[in-house]
Amino acid sequence: MTEDRPGPKLPRGRGPLSTAVTAHLTGTGALPTPEDVRAASPYGDDLQLALYCCYELHYRGFAGVDPDLEWDPELLRTRRALEDRFLTALRADTQVHDSVEAAVKELLVEPAEGTGVSHHLRDEGELWQVREYVAQRSLYHLKEADPHAWVLPRLWGRAKAGMAAVEFDEYGGGRAERVHAQLFADMMKDLGLDTAYGAYLDSGSAEMLAVVNMMSLFGLHRSLRGALVGHFAAVEITSSPGSHRLAEAMRRTGAGPAAEFFYDEHVEADAVHEQVVRRDVIGGLLAEEPHLEADVVFGIDATGHLEDRLAERLLAEWRAGRPTMRDTHIS
């Protein structure tokens, strides 16, 4: 085992798949069988946590887990089976637009009467719901932009230059204190949350795990580079208005100055990013590889599908007065 910087602790298993994967990572058990994977719910806690654990080895790993397991052939075969189960369901369940133009046009339309999570938090959300939302989102935002960076070697020309420009901003423009993951951690500190990377992995919902897993899936496969660009476009195009609502929610609930700053920063930055992504990243990619248009559309619409599932879960629990975090109540 080579020396490695300690990562977060391994999460508790949520079923046979995730329990078997974590056991394999600690050398205490066998990996799940293909039959186990095929029998699992593609969006369920068990499969999504198992897949997240496989992907995390490509980021910061886990405390006490050999970093060389990142390329363990048996684990990679299991990961592929988990990915196939997830991706097959995602393709079957996502309603896709006919073209990139149609998909992007819909993203640009702000409904007059919005009903999403950012609308709820802005208009009537309570501070404990804000804290839960931030804790859930920490599974991505504490490594913000990292899943998207995988696509850079798979692009060239305008698409690569545009993507690199946006990523540079996400990474603070060369200033460590302005890295967006750090700004998110500052917000968590304001809200009295644990800022340690992976602190809420045990508590995050399956719906949130699926959103992050989709990013890793698209980013780690060159064959899905078009889907990653589509996903990235969906995030950047919808971020500015959503962040404006969340900034208002932070002010209304008294979440703190760092919380306000995080979303205020995204209102301004992502309004610029939207133009770069549409003109250079999507435009450059399709100028070079027009056959990837269907993949770009899939990435846009799959992002909407999984974000809608997450929103439905959060809003249903909050409106019933229940927490959305597993085994953790953030009051």
Side-chain angles (χ1 to χ4, degrees), residues 2-23:
T2 59
E3 292 296 323
D4 196 28
R5 180 180 179 179
K9 68 178 183 179
L10 276 168
R12 298 183 297 272
R14 301 185 189 180
L17 300 182
S18 51
T19 299
V21 166
T22 55

Side-chain angles (χ1 to χ4, degrees), residues 42-43 47-48 51-52 54-56 58-59 79-91 143 146-148 150-151 154 209-229 231 298-299 302 306:
Y43 303 117
L47 185 143
Q48 290 299 327
L51 187 53
Y52 191 100
C54 291
Y55 285 144
E56 188 54 39
H58 298 295
Y59 295 101
R79 195 191 90 185
R80 182 57 183 264
L82 295 167
E83 288 176 332
D84 287 348
R85 184 83 174 102
F86 180 37
L87 184 57
T88 297
L90 200 54
R91 289 194 184 281
K143 58 183 173 193
D146 290 350
H148 308 132
W150 299 114
V151 83
R154 287 86 186 267
L209 290 172
V211 169
V212 186
N213 283 338
M214 175 188 61
M215 301 181 199
S216 298
L217 171 64
F218 292 168
L220 286 166
H221 289 269
R222 191 177 71 84
S223 62
L224 293 171
R225 63 194 180 279
L228 188 282
V229 166
H231 156 73
F298 171 63
L306 291 185

Side-chain angles (χ1 to χ4, degrees), residues 149-168:
W150 299 114
V151 83
L152 282 168
R154 287 86 186 267
L155 304 176
W156 61 91
R158 272 202 299 141
K160 181 190 283 281
M163 191 78 190
V166 176
E167 288 284 274
F168 184 65

Side-chain angles (χ1 to χ4, degrees), residues 27-256:
T28 60
L31 287 164
T33 67
E35 291 74 22
D36 290 335
V37 175
R38 287 194 292 269
S41 168
Y43 303 117
D45 280 290
D46 192 23
L47 185 143
Q48 290 299 327
L49 181 61
L51 187 53
Y52 191 100
C53 288
C54 291
Y55 285 144
E56 188 54 39
L57 300 179
H58 298 295
Y59 295 101
R60 301 194 198 180
F62 294 102
V65 173
D66 186 345
D68 286 337
L69 285 172
E70 178 182 6
W71 301 111
D72 175 58
E74 292 183 15
L75 187 62
L76 290 175
R77 279 193 289 271
T78 296
R79 195 191 90 185
R80 182 57 183 264
L82 295 167
E83 288 176 332
D84 287 348
R85 184 83 174 102
F86 180 37
L87 184 57
T88 297
L90 200 54
R91 289 194 184 281
D93 296 339
T94 299
Q95 294 184 348
V96 296
H97 287 82
D98 294 332
S99 66
V100 166
E101 181 181 4
V104 168
K105 183 177 180 180
E106 185 165 321
L107 290 177
L108 291 169
V109 175
E110 275 285 295
E113 298 293 333
T115 58
V117 170
S118 62
H119 296 86
H120 170 82
L121 293 177
R122 179 195 63 188
D123 298 337
E124 57 184 299
E126 300 176 35
L127 185 58
W128 72 269
Q129 295 171 344
V130 168
R131 296 178 75 239
E132 274 206 343
Y133 178 75
V134 170
Q136 292 269 16
R137 287 288 186 187
S138 71
L139 297 183
Y140 165 62
H141 280 293
L142 289 180
K143 58 183 173 193
E144 184 171 342
D146 290 350
H148 308 132
W150 299 114
V151 83
L152 282 168
R154 287 86 186 267
L155 304 176
W156 61 91
R158 272 202 299 141
K160 181 190 283 281
M163 191 78 190
V166 176
E167 288 284 274
F168 184 65
D169 284 351
E170 302 283 353
Y171 290 133
R175 296 170 57 188
E177 73 278 8
R178 294 299 295 268
V179 172
H180 285 189
Q182 180 59 54
L183 297 180
F184 195 86
D186 295 342
M187 171 171 60
M188 295 181 75
K189 185 176 180 180
D190 256 11
L191 288 165
L193 298 170
D194 190 339
T195 63
Y197 180 88
Y200 293 101
L201 178 54
D202 259 330
S203 306
S205 67
E207 292 81 4
M208 188 65 229
L209 290 172
V211 169
V212 186
N213 283 338
M214 175 188 61
M215 301 181 199
S216 298
L217 171 64
F218 292 168
L220 286 166
H221 289 269
R222 191 177 71 84
S223 62
L224 293 171
R225 63 194 180 279
L228 188 282
V229 166
H231 156 73
F232 192 64
V235 170
E236 296 298 328
I237 291 170
T238 59
S239 176
S240 187
S243 293
H244 185 266
R245 289 188 290 272
L246 288 168
E248 291 183 342
M250 298 303 152
R251 278 185 272 274
R252 187 181 63 78
T253 59

